[in-house]
């Protein structure tokens, strides 16, 4: 997982993986580490290697140990622990694939203020969501070729919340959840947090291997699948209409529910309407989750679930176990945004295309041995690195003022050290600057002296 295949750098790799966990917020300060013996057993390596890794981390001030009390994560000494925060001046945030708000959000806020007057006379608990917003979302699906009634829509606090609600409703601890490999890291975290097991199916050079999906479904009988068929995160692939027909039939035939995450569906860079939603081919087996986080603004925190009406009702009741509804004001703002429509979709696409192209040009210039496919939508490039160094590169990049997520975070089982996701959600000059810093970081990683510690 954390080790480069055939690597002689075992201790360095393990230390780097733990360091990344700290920088990434996965291992907060104070986290107690398992004993050397437990770690060695769990990772199937020697105690010598674990001890050497812990020595390195102690030297870096990331771990403290006391005899009898074990080891725990400490605040890094002599370096800022905050570089992962996008708020640090000069740090370039390539962790998030999200743009600033689209034009028109502030104007919609102003209009929604007036509509709020009516809502203030009510109690404000909207349950499934404001009827006016559910109607608009249903109409948008119908316009895309998927007949939908407002009763099929449940408003949530974003697409991720939507996924977690469905996951909790349809799975039990111990179930398997089929995912694409690579996939969205927070979805993997949610799957693990629900005590279910992600079953990865690799995306190939041309996207989905539907025979592979069928084989995995037959072999592992997953309770649920989690799929991103519109500008997949992180690869940017989009499944075409015939692929959707095949995949939809497969889900129905094998009676497998799928959550179809449409977070990036509106982010097509070429102005192409795209095929109908997967649910148009899979019937009730597809539960669609949507959001305006990428199309309008992540700060609205509004998303939704489109499901068969009875499931939408059950999901609403189940939701009350954890939260009582989405904010009324943001729902009003979104209804206003939908009514106004995008004033200039071509201009927005042109900006995103120019950012994507600035990134690809800078990479070709400064890192010519990195390989990628130029996506026609989404917000990121999925780059193949010349060496399995993604984790070490992410750590080195932090020292050069770039926050970036290593490939392993997109994997159900670690690995993917040959891969790095680079979002193009920033202005062109900042992306060019980021690539220069990544090139420096890559050079520093490649220049690292061989570690003479034995590998277990
Ligand atoms: C595939 C995918 N799903 C869901 C989300 C989160 O969406 P939301 O902000 O609506 O919760 C993201 C955010 O990057 C994403 O990439």
């Amino acid at each position: 997982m954390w080790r480069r295949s055939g690597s002689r750098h075992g201790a360095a790799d393990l230390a780097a993986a733990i360091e990344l966990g700290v920088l990434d917020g996965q291992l907060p300060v104070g986290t107690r580490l398992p004993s050397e013996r437990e770690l060695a057993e769990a990772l199937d390596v020697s105690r010598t290697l674990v001890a050497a890794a812990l020595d390195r981390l102690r030297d870096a001030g990331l771990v403290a140990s006391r005899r009898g009390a074990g080891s725990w994560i400490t605040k890094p000494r002599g370096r800022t622990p905050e570089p992962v925060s996008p708020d640090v001046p000069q740090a370039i945030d390539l962790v998030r694939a999200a743009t600033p708000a689209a034009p028109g959000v502030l104007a919609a806020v102003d209009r929604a203020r007036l509509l709020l007057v009516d809502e203030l006379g009510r109690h404000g608990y909207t349950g499934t969501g404001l009827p006016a917003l559910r109607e608009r979302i249903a109409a948008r699906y119908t316009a895309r070729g998927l007949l939908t009634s407002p009763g099929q829509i449940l408003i949530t606090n974003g697409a991720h919340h939507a996924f977690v609600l469905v996951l909790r409703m349809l799975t039990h601890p111990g179930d398997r959840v089929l995912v694409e490999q690579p996939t969205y890291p927070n979805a993997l975290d949610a799957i693990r947090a629900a005590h279910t097991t992600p079953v990865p199916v690799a995306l190939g050079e041309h996207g989905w291997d539907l025979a592979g999906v069928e084989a995995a479904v037959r072999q592992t009988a997953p309770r649920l699948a989690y799929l991103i068929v519109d500008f997949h995160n992180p690869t940017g692939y989009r499944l075409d209409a015939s692929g959707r027909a095949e995949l939809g039939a497969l889900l129905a035939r094998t009676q497998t529910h799928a959550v179809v995450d449409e977070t990036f569906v509106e982010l097509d860079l070429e102005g192409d309407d795209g095929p109908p939603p997967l649910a148009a081919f899979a019937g009730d087996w597809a539960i669609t989750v949507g959001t305006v986080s990428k199309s309008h603004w992540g700060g609205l925190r509004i998303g939704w679930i489109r499901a068969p009406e009875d499931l939408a009702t059950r999901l609403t009741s189940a939701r009350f176990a954890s939260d009582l509804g989405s904010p009324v004001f943001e729902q009003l703002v979104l209804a206003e945004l939908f009514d106004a429509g995008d004033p200039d979709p071509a201009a927005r696409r042109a900006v995103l295309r120019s950012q994507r192209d600035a990134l690809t040009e800078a990479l070709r210039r400064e890192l010519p041995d990195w390989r990628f496919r130029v996506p026609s939508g989404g917000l990121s490039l999925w780059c193949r690195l010349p060496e399995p160094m993604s984790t070490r590169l992410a750590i080195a990049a932090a020292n050069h003022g770039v926050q970036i997520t290593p490939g392993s975070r997109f994997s159900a089982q670690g690995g993917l050290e040959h891969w790095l996701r680079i979002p193009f959600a920033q202005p062109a000059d900042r992306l060019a600057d980021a690539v220069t810093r990544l090139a420096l970081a890559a050079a520093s990683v490649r220049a690292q002296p061989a570690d003479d510690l034995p590998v277990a």
Side-chain angles (χ1 to χ4, degrees):
M1 175 160 170
W2 42 271
R3 195 167 352 145
R4 286 163 275 162
S5 50
S7 164
R8 296 183 58 253
H9 299 242
D13 282 355
L14 177 55
I18 294 175
E19 178 172 4
L20 189 75
V22 177
L23 294 175
D24 214 17
Q26 306 282 309
L27 291 172
V29 171
T31 304
R32 216 158 258 291
L33 294 175
S35 71
E36 279 182 18
R37 184 180 50 76
E38 286 165 338
L39 263 177
E41 272 174 22
L43 301 172
D44 196 19
V45 296
S46 71
R47 275 186 73 167
T48 325
L49 185 148
V50 172
L54 290 177
D55 275 347
R56 283 170 174 266
L57 292 163
R58 272 188 292 268
D59 286 349
L62 276 165
V63 162
S65 310
R66 207 174 51 235
R67 194 175 289 279
S71 300
W72 59 93
I73 301 293
T74 50
K75 211 170 158 71
R77 239 190 357 246
R79 50 186 297 173
T80 34
E82 295 89 49
V84 279
S85 161
D87 308 329
V88 173
Q90 279 116 38
I92 301 179
D93 177 9
L94 295 184
V95 169
R96 275 184 200 86
T99 61
V105 172
L106 207 54
V109 166
D110 287 342
R111 292 195 302 278
R113 252 187 96 243
L114 305 177
L115 298 172
L116 189 62
V117 176
D118 284 343
E119 296 298 330
L120 289 176
R122 306 193 176 105
H123 52 57
Y125 290 87
T126 62
T128 43
L130 282 181
L133 181 58
R134 294 166 68 213
E135 272 161 29
R136 284 162 175 78
I137 292 169
R140 289 165 76 88
Y141 279 116
T142 301
R144 286 176 58 208
L146 179 62
L147 189 64
T148 301
S149 69
Q152 291 181 263
I153 305 294
L154 163 61
I155 304 297
T156 64
N157 304 334
H160 188 56
H161 178 218
F163 172 54
V164 172
L165 288 177
V166 180
L167 183 69
R168 277 206 219 126
M169 165 122 278
L170 293 186
T171 65
H172 297 103
D175 283 344
R176 286 174 287 276
V177 179
L178 187 117
V179 294
E180 290 130 347
Q181 167 93 335
T183 191
Y184 176 50
N186 291 333
L188 289 171
D189 288 347
I191 290 168
R192 294 189 193 105
H195 304 288
T196 55
T197 307
V199 175
V201 180
L203 286 179
E205 216 181 305
H206 304 290
W208 287 264
D209 161 17
L210 295 178
V213 174
E214 171 127 34
V217 169
R218 298 236 174 255
Q219 281 160 21
T220 66
R223 176 80 57 181
L224 188 69
Y226 169 75
L227 305 167
I228 315 170
V229 295
D230 287 283
F231 308 123
H232 173 264
N233 183 7
T235 63
Y237 285 119
R238 176 176 238 187
L239 186 63
D240 63 16
S242 67
R244 283 171 203 236
E246 203 179 319
L247 182 54
L250 191 167
L251 294 172
R253 202 168 52 243
T254 57
Q255 307 206 333
T256 309
H257 276 117
V259 171
V260 183
D261 183 336
E262 291 199 322
T263 290
F264 288 95
V265 69
E266 306 233 341
L267 289 222
D268 81 284
L269 305 185
E270 314 296 348
D272 160 14
D273 278 345
L278 181 56
F281 303 91
D284 287 353
W285 295 104
I287 297 148
T288 310
V289 302
T291 180
V292 289
S293 288
K294 310 295 171 174
S295 56
H296 294 77
W297 190 40
L300 283 174
R301 305 305 314 134
I302 298 287
W304 57 86
I305 300 171
R306 179 204 179 272
E309 222 163 295
D310 57 333
L311 181 58
T313 309
R314 278 162 58 216
L315 282 163
T316 306
S317 310
R319 172 195 190 151
F320 294 149
S322 58
D323 80 284
L324 303 183
S326 297
V328 169
F329 186 66
E330 277 75 359
Q331 294 185 64
L332 288 172
V333 172
L334 184 52
E336 283 300 306
L337 279 166
F338 281 156
D339 281 353
D342 188 340
D344 195 350
R348 187 159 156 79
R349 277 197 296 273
V351 169
L352 290 176
R353 267 201 315 271
S354 74
Q355 291 176 187
R356 176 196 65 188
D357 296 345
L359 177 60
T360 57
E361 276 158 33
L363 284 169
R364 285 183 183 125
R365 194 172 55 243
E366 303 214 28
L367 289 157
D369 52 358
W370 290 22
R371 300 274 170 264
F372 49 82
R373 182 187 137 269
V374 179
S376 62
L379 283 176
S380 53
L381 290 190
W382 182 235
C383 292
R384 167 117 188 140
L385 309 175
E387 285 179 35
M389 61 180 189
S390 191
T391 299
R392 287 174 298 144
L393 183 65
I395 292 166
N399 294 329
H400 287 88
V402 171
Q403 312 311 324
I404 194 155
T405 312
S408 57
R409 279 282 287 140
F410 296 83
S411 164
Q413 307 156 321
L416 295 183
E417 281 295 329
H418 257 294
W419 296 92
L420 190 68
R421 183 189 76 161
I422 313 184
F424 47 82
Q426 316 230 7
D429 54 346
R430 212 156 159 73
L431 289 170
D433 186 5
V435 171
T436 304
R437 294 172 189 222
L438 283 178
L440 290 171
S444 76
V445 168
R446 290 173 119 174
Q448 258 170 23
D451 190 327
D452 50 10
L453 282 165
V455 172

